[in-house]
Amino acid sequence: MSSPNNENEIDTEKKEKVSRNFIQNIIDKDLEEGKYDQIVTRFPPEPNGYLHIGHAKSILLNSGLADEYHGVFHLRFDDTNPMKEKTEFVHSIMEDVKWICGDLDSEQIYYASDYFDSMYECAVKLIKKGKAYVCDLSAEQIREYRGTLTEPGRNSPYRERSIEENLDLFERMRAGEFEDGSKVLRAKIDMASPNINMRDPVIYRVARINHHNTGDKWCIYPMYDFAHPIEDAIEGVTHSICTLEFEDHRPLYDWVVNEVEFEHPPKQIEFAKLYLTNVVTGKRYIKKLVEDGLVDGWDDPRLVTIAALKRRGFTPESIRMFMDLSGVSKANSSSDYAMLEYCIREDLKMKRPRMMAVLDAIKLVITNYPENEIEYLDVPNNQENAEMGTRKVPFGRVLYIERDDFMIEPPKKYFRLYPGNEVRLMNAYFVTCTDYITDENGNVTEVHCTYDPETKSGSGFEGRKVKGTIHWVCAETAEKVEVRLYENIVDEEKGVYNEDGTINLNPNSLKVLENAYVESALAEAEPMDSFQFVRQGYFIVDSKDSTKEHMVFNRIVSMKSSYRVK
Ligand code: ATP
Ligand code: MG
């Protein structure tokens, strides 16, 4: 007979087994069979743009596996195509990966371009084995000869060149004797293969482009499908994890590592990309938004680049939680953006002080409170986390409250301020509305009330009950700030793209509030400090535009959640 305790233990064990993803299962099996002494994984970005949340998935998946199996994780810049690459991107990627992973040692950082010599040697080896040839067909002819999905390709007239001639021509390609595009090196595989990637793919091309790492040393550059497996093999990568679109390239990957005769060939495993509902993740599209000036750079808080998520106030912990919840799979699907919001709320809930800020202010005058007096109330920094201590919050005769916390003619079930009604001012006193003032358009400009000194928060007052509690800031000491509220940059209703392929922008994706006040303690906040503003959500001091004189707060996420944990 087993005790309930034991059953629980077994249950947890079983659950852990069941919830292992398919990649963990593959690695478990490989280790059981004694295939590897140590697991090596890598994240191989091409430095041609900023990283986005999809890349974060790949970073966390790869580094997480290395951690779990006490292996090694490499950040490798896949910088073999100098046409689109820039050092600006190398720097931003390095920073982003470090932010997501915590940190990286310098010995974890690799550059594919450091292997150009080895790649050249690998190509020579293939030629010597009769597995590669120099081809003079133009790009267009190569395309024509390649055939289609339903028709086999045709052999190039240069396919049967002798090994000697190929070695000579390839060396002369390297020496710069031929024009860009005039000759390529091709793998000699099978022009009739049902997999088009196997129809004698180009593996080297002539291109006179300055490279950010190797300068003008090379005028021939390897193609991705040839370079990538060699990079993995050189670094001793055991499991080369990539996204589904490379599934059809796997036979070529295997062909390269086998023909080059690496002793411990890496294994390619594909998983489904991370997609988010109503969010543009593709590097190409983000680049277009940036280049067309539709957003404030790569780190515009409405984007989901890692730089933008950081500026918006997301934390590495929240992103990690999101990736854990969204799982790893072989089938394409979209994750809910609301789940990401749920994760950041969960992460910040206990860690950040809960402050008072009024986003659209009107004055509240307490007519029976002494003029020119400020008292300091003791307020807990986080009601759910006593360790965060308390602070002194100034209170006076004139306060700011939210415009929508007062109504002249309230509907049913409105428990906030209206003429004759009593509410609690959060952390302070009960007040009863006695009057209000409007401007010539009928807009309320000031609300008047009286307070009951007996009802001070924390005084143990047990008298009347009130149904509404509203937040406030002391007008005399408050700091006027700019607040930015964000919505998804694409319109949820209309879909991501217009018929003509342009991005369907949401005109309300950025809303700037100019009539916002925060309690005085927040005037000390530094860029990247984040807080809960009670009843409003989580906010961060903007790292780009906020100054001591003109503070700018970004809303990370509101308090309301549409996401339910299943
Ligand atoms: P994009 O698809 O945005 O243009 P990319 O694939 O061109 O990005 P790379 O620099 O080649 O960008 O990607 C580096 C790594 O990140 C690759 O292993 C790629 O498979 C992975 N990756 C890219 N997008 C996603 C995604 N949405 N989800 C998971 N992994 C991704
Ligand atoms: Mg890519």
Side-chain angles (χ1 to χ4, degrees):
M1 222 175 59
S2 60
S3 73
N5 244 350
N6 259 342
E7 266 169 34
N8 279 347
E9 267 165 36
I10 291 164
D11 249 20
T12 334
E13 207 175 280
K14 215 192 282 170
K15 241 185 247 148
E16 272 172 17
K17 276 243 160 72
V18 171
S19 66
R20 292 180 76 67
N21 65 50
F22 76 97
I23 299 180
Q24 290 166 319
N25 291 335
I26 293 173
I27 298 178
D28 287 345
K29 189 158 172 284
D30 286 344
L31 290 176
E32 257 168 48
E33 290 170 4
K35 277 195 191 153
Y36 307 103
D37 297 333
Q38 192 186 38
I39 294 303
V40 181
T41 59
R42 88 288 174 263
F43 171 66
E46 202 186 334
N48 62 357
Y50 279 59
L51 299 182
H52 55 61
I53 188 152
H55 297 115
K57 172 140 208 159
S58 177
I59 295 166
L60 287 169
L61 173 60
N62 281 291
S63 63
L65 289 167
D67 282 348
E68 180 184 343
Y69 293 98
H70 307 291
V72 185
F73 166 72
H74 296 180
L75 163 62
R76 182 208 312 140
F77 289 96
D78 206 338
D79 55 354
T80 53
N81 177 5
M83 211 130 91
K84 293 183 283 175
E85 295 160 4
K86 281 202 220 153
T87 36
E88 176 200 351
F89 299 136
V90 173
H91 294 309
S92 73
I93 289 171
M94 194 100 78
E95 205 169 292
D96 291 347
V97 176
K98 284 182 179 169
W99 185 69
I100 289 284
C101 290
D103 202 16
L104 280 183
D105 290 338
S106 53
E107 61 268 28
Q108 286 178 279
I109 300 168
Y110 297 79
Y111 294 86
S113 55
D114 286 341
Y115 315 141
F116 279 156
D117 283 296
S118 311
M119 289 176 194
Y120 182 84
E121 291 309 318
C122 292
V124 169
K125 180 166 191 171
L126 291 183
I127 296 174
K128 286 184 177 161
K129 290 174 74 177
K131 298 284 184 176
Y133 62 96
V134 174
C135 181
D136 299 1
L137 293 180
S138 68
E140 199 178 317
Q141 287 169 319
I142 289 179
R143 226 182 341 257
E144 265 171 47
Y145 274 70
R146 189 176 294 140
T148 64
L149 282 174
T150 48
E151 282 168 51
R154 282 177 292 142
N155 285 351
S156 159
Y158 304 98
R159 200 173 199 262
E160 299 309 326
R161 273 178 166 153
S162 70
I163 289 173
E164 289 66 36
E165 190 183 0
N166 281 321
L167 283 172
D168 174 59
L169 287 172
F170 187 51
E171 201 185 312
R172 287 164 57 198
M173 277 169 68
R174 177 189 187 166
E177 285 188 31
F178 307 115
E179 293 291 300
D180 285 14
S182 61
K183 281 187 174 28
V184 292
L185 184 71
R186 299 177 69 175
K188 194 171 183 178
I189 310 180
D190 178 7
M191 289 307 291
S193 170
N195 183 337
I196 292 187
N197 294 308
M198 300 298 273
R199 295 183 188 169
D200 291 10
V202 173
I203 58 177
Y204 259 97
R205 67 199 166 117
V206 182
R208 286 170 180 77
I209 317 173
N210 189 279
H211 188 281
H212 77 94
N213 183 20
T214 56
D216 287 328
K217 180 175 175 196
W218 295 90
C219 65
I220 55 171
Y221 289 100
M223 303 303 284
Y224 178 87
D225 280 334
F226 175 68
H228 201 85
I230 294 176
E231 294 158 24
D232 285 341
I234 289 175
E235 289 176 19
V237 167
T238 51
H239 298 82
S240 173
I241 299 165
C242 63
T243 40
L244 282 182
E245 71 272 24
F246 290 101
E247 200 162 17
D248 286 348
H249 297 243
R250 191 181 343 128
L252 180 51
Y253 185 102
D254 290 340
W255 185 90
V256 172
V257 291
N258 289 325
E259 291 299 342
V260 176
E261 297 169 34
F262 284 105
E263 210 174 319
H264 301 288
K267 161 146 93 184
Q268 176 178 310
I269 304 171
E270 308 86 17
F271 74 105
K273 275 193 170 179
L274 171 81
Y275 294 99
L276 279 181
T277 48
N278 277 302
V279 174
V280 186
T281 47
K283 213 190 260 176
R284 208 151 52 92
Y285 300 105
I286 296 177
K287 200 174 203 157
K288 186 158 168 48
L289 287 171
V290 174
E291 283 169 359
D292 291 355
L294 296 169
V295 292
D296 173 29
W298 287 92
D299 60 355
D300 184 302
R302 291 167 294 178
L303 298 176
V304 288
T305 57
I306 294 177
L309 291 165
K310 183 175 172 186
R311 182 173 167 201
R312 175 78 175 260
F314 284 88
T315 56
E317 291 81 2
S318 64
I319 293 172
R320 219 168 288 152
M321 192 193 304
F322 174 69
M323 296 309 169
D324 286 345
L325 285 174
S326 66
V328 176
S329 135
K330 267 265 182 205
N332 277 319
S333 68
S334 280
S335 295
D336 197 345
Y337 187 81
M339 188 162 89
L340 182 60
E341 296 189 320
Y342 162 82
C343 294
I344 186 66
R345 281 190 206 98
E346 280 296 301
D347 185 41
L348 298 183
K349 196 164 70 180
M350 307 299 274
K351 292 186 192 164
R352 295 294 186 266
R354 299 177 182 182
M355 313 292 279
M356 291 198 283
V358 173
L359 302 189
D360 182 15
I362 54 169
K363 272 192 177 153
L364 180 79
V365 181
I366 306 171
T367 51
N368 62 339
Y369 193 87
E371 289 196 37
N372 303 322
E373 188 171 314
I374 299 284
E375 72 175 300
Y376 288 86
L377 305 171
D378 278 315
V379 173
N381 285 326
N382 186 326
Q383 286 80 352
E384 290 184 74
N385 182 358
E387 280 178 17
M388 293 189 69
T390 61
R391 68 182 184 284
K392 298 272 184 208
V393 177
F395 180 86
R397 178 184 165 91
V398 184
L399 309 175
Y400 289 118
I401 60 167
E402 297 287 351
R403 181 175 300 282
D404 66 8
D405 278 341
F406 173 78
M407 286 187 95
I408 301 171
E409 290 173 28
K412 268 196 183 145
K413 296 206 171 161
Y414 185 88
F415 300 123
R416 291 169 277 165
L417 266 187
Y418 54 89
N421 192 39
E422 185 170 55
V423 299
R424 173 179 286 289
L425 292 176
M426 189 179 286
N427 304 312
Y429 300 94
F430 284 15
V431 291
T432 305
C433 176
T434 53
D435 199 5
Y436 60 90
I437 299 176
T438 55
D439 63 13
E440 61 273 22
N441 302 319
N443 295 319
V444 177
T445 52
E446 225 173 272
V447 178
H448 291 178
C449 63
T450 55
Y451 87 118
D452 180 349
E454 302 292 305
T455 59
K456 188 169 177 174
S457 185
S459 68
F461 172 71
E462 293 286 348
R464 306 177 298 279
K465 290 271 179 279
V466 284
K467 281 200 165 156
T469 298
I470 65 173
H471 63 275
W472 51 274
V473 295
C474 166
E476 196 179 315
T477 58
E479 180 86 6
K480 189 166 203 233
V481 300
E482 176 180 325
V483 170
R484 298 176 181 171
L485 305 183
Y486 301 100
E487 287 179 13
N488 284 351
I489 197 158
V490 292
D491 199 310
E492 307 222 14
E493 301 283 297
K494 297 181 196 149
V496 176
Y497 301 104
N498 296 312
E499 265 174 25
D500 63 359
T502 55
I503 298 172
N504 186 14
L505 295 178
N506 171 7
N508 303 317
S509 61
L510 169 63
K511 194 167 158 195
V512 177
L513 306 182
E514 307 278 9
N515 184 31
Y517 293 85
V518 298
E519 64 172 273
S520 52
L522 282 165
E524 304 303 317
E526 298 287 336
M528 295 301 287
D529 285 350
S530 60
F531 306 89
Q532 185 189 105
F533 289 175
V534 288
R535 297 174 65 216
Q536 299 289 7
Y538 291 91
F539 293 74
I540 185 168
V541 182
D542 189 65
S543 55
K544 221 164 161 177
D545 299 335
S546 190
T547 62
K548 276 266 165 260
E549 294 69 41
H550 182 83
M551 293 186 87
V552 178
F553 285 87
N554 299 319
R555 183 163 71 188
I556 307 167
V557 65
S558 70
M559 298 299 285
K560 288 187 222 91
S561 172
S562 57
Y563 175 73
R564 296 273 165 269
V565 195
K566 284 167 204 117

